[in-house]
Amino acid sequence: MAEAAWGLWAVIAIALIFDYINGMHDAANAIATVVSTRVLSPRQAILLSACLNFAGAFLSTAVAKTIGKGIVDPAMVTQGLVAAAMLGAIGWNLLTWYYGIPSSSSHALIGGIMGGTVAFHGFGALNWKGLNTIITALLVSPIIGLIGGFAFMALIMWAFRKVHAGFVNRLFKGLQVVSASFMAVSHGSNDAQKVMGVITMALFGMGYIHDFSVPKWVILACASAMALGTAAGGWRIIRTMGVRMIKLAPVNGFAAESAASLIILGASHVGTPVSTTHVISSTILGVGTAKRASAVRWEVAGNMLVAWILTIPASAMTAFLVGKAILMVK
């Protein structure tokens, strides 16, 4: 029993490490635009984002329940399965962070759970109905983000078409602080919940809780880990999203962040896990396209798309291999 307890705490620790890396990897989601437009200094932006990521994690647990029950039956979950899933996701996140590619931590996590499940129980153990819902949301949300960013920017351009550019710039410098805050809260509301779901799944599967509801201490631990990771920054990815992909002015940053926040908070409300990285990246692309298609560096966007396509299979394969290694050791 003591060995099982130690194993559970080790699994929880690995999940929280993933949550920390997720915060570090996805710091760019909330602050890349506000830093690139120089509305806030990097230090100010990171502090703001870390605090509001923490607050956003307490808004709901609907996404946690979707992740915890929508991929595999929690009753089939073992310590080894969760460890394999988390290590697969962590490996991909660190690789893409190192190369400054804004890939999806959500895709990495879902791929990791899929790979770990197949390693321990085979393909038949996967909840294909739940996976279909989750993956559909992950695929559709960037398209909505692209359209939303384009529409938001086009509406602002039309509304302020007769206003002096200097006044517009000053106005949106202030408003972008609001939109960046909104984005940070929405990120915490969706991404922190995913690890809450994994930890709750582990607790339920190993018999430590008997009803699938997220314990308060799990919410606090996940919110803290993500906030600390966000505070560590993620400068490589911030540079890609906020500088290399498109040159942004405050009005562009406001449009991208506002559109992305509305999409992510809506998804969190109904319990749908979306990739915050994909949503904010696609709204930035939409904003750039509204200005003019040539404003977007499509080569950078193309590299991101390749990473998006590879994330689920790469993290699933890594988790599968880790899972098989764990079974061999046993």
Side-chain angles (χ1 to χ4, degrees):
M1 191 69 180
E3 184 180 343
W6 277 109
L8 175 64
W9 285 111
V11 163
I12 291 172
I14 294 170
L16 291 175
I17 289 169
F18 170 82
D19 208 20
Y20 175 89
I21 293 170
N22 186 2
M24 181 178 70
H25 193 276
D26 290 2
N29 292 356
I31 65 174
T33 57
V34 82
V35 170
S36 70
T37 57
R38 300 184 181 181
V39 169
L40 293 177
S41 71
R43 187 181 297 276
Q44 290 171 329
I46 282 182
L47 181 60
L48 176 74
S49 181
C51 292
L52 294 177
N53 259 302
F54 180 85
F58 289 88
L59 290 181
S60 166
T61 58
V63 173
K65 291 175 182 176
T66 301
I67 289 290
K69 297 192 289 186
I71 302 174
V72 60
D73 182 350
M76 301 180 71
V77 171
T78 62
Q79 295 169 359
L81 189 159
V82 177
M86 292 294 94
L87 291 170
I90 286 170
W92 181 255
N93 263 4
L94 288 176
L95 181 68
T96 51
W97 167 82
Y98 179 80
Y99 286 105
I101 302 169
S103 68
S104 168
S105 296
S106 304
H107 284 207
L109 177 61
I110 289 162
I113 296 172
M114 290 173 66
T117 299
V118 172
F120 281 82
H121 301 297
F123 281 97
L126 292 171
N127 178 355
W128 291 105
K129 183 179 178 182
L131 272 171
N132 182 56
T133 302
I134 290 169
I135 291 175
T136 298
L138 290 172
L139 293 175
V140 169
S141 55
I143 298 170
I144 297 172
L146 184 68
I147 296 168
F150 181 92
F152 221 104
M153 190 65 230
L155 181 62
I156 292 172
M157 288 167 67
W158 178 83
F160 289 87
R161 66 191 184 282
K162 295 181 181 179
V163 180
H164 190 273
F167 174 80
V168 172
N169 193 53
R170 289 192 299 273
L171 173 64
F172 282 97
K173 272 191 172 182
L175 289 176
Q176 203 189 351
V177 176
V178 177
S179 64
S181 301
F182 196 25
M183 183 64 204
V185 170
S186 67
H187 178 263
S189 77
N190 204 279
D191 269 30
Q193 284 195 60
K194 292 159 189 167
V195 177
M196 292 179 207
V198 171
I199 293 175
T200 305
M201 180 175 69
L203 291 168
F204 184 88
M206 297 170 208
Y208 285 87
I209 58 175
H210 303 289
D211 136 61
F212 203 94
S213 57
V214 183
K216 292 284 189 273
W217 67 266
V218 172
I219 298 174
L220 179 63
C222 290
S224 301
M226 176 158 285
L228 288 170
T230 302
W235 301 111
R236 296 170 188 265
I237 297 171
I238 288 170
R239 182 171 177 270
T240 298
M241 288 179 66
V243 179
R244 291 180 58 210
M245 192 161 64
I246 179 176
K247 185 176 180 181
L248 296 169
V251 63
N252 310 134
F254 173 83
E257 289 162 348
S258 299
S261 300
L262 290 170
I263 294 166
I264 295 164
L265 283 173
S268 299
H269 179 69
V270 299
T272 303
V274 295
S275 167
T276 54
T277 305
H278 289 196
V279 172
I280 185 62
S281 299
S282 61
T283 58
I284 291 172
L285 287 174
V287 164
T289 306
K291 292 171 65 179
R292 63 183 188 282
S294 60
V296 178
R297 295 184 178 93
W298 292 104
E299 182 182 351
V300 176
N303 292 338
M304 288 167 51
L305 180 61
V306 171
W308 292 1
I309 293 168
L310 291 177
T311 296
I312 288 181
S315 54
M317 180 57 69
T318 305
F320 176 82
L321 294 173
V322 172
K324 287 301 184 186
I326 291 171
L327 287 171
M328 287 176 64
V329 170
K330 285 185 175 181

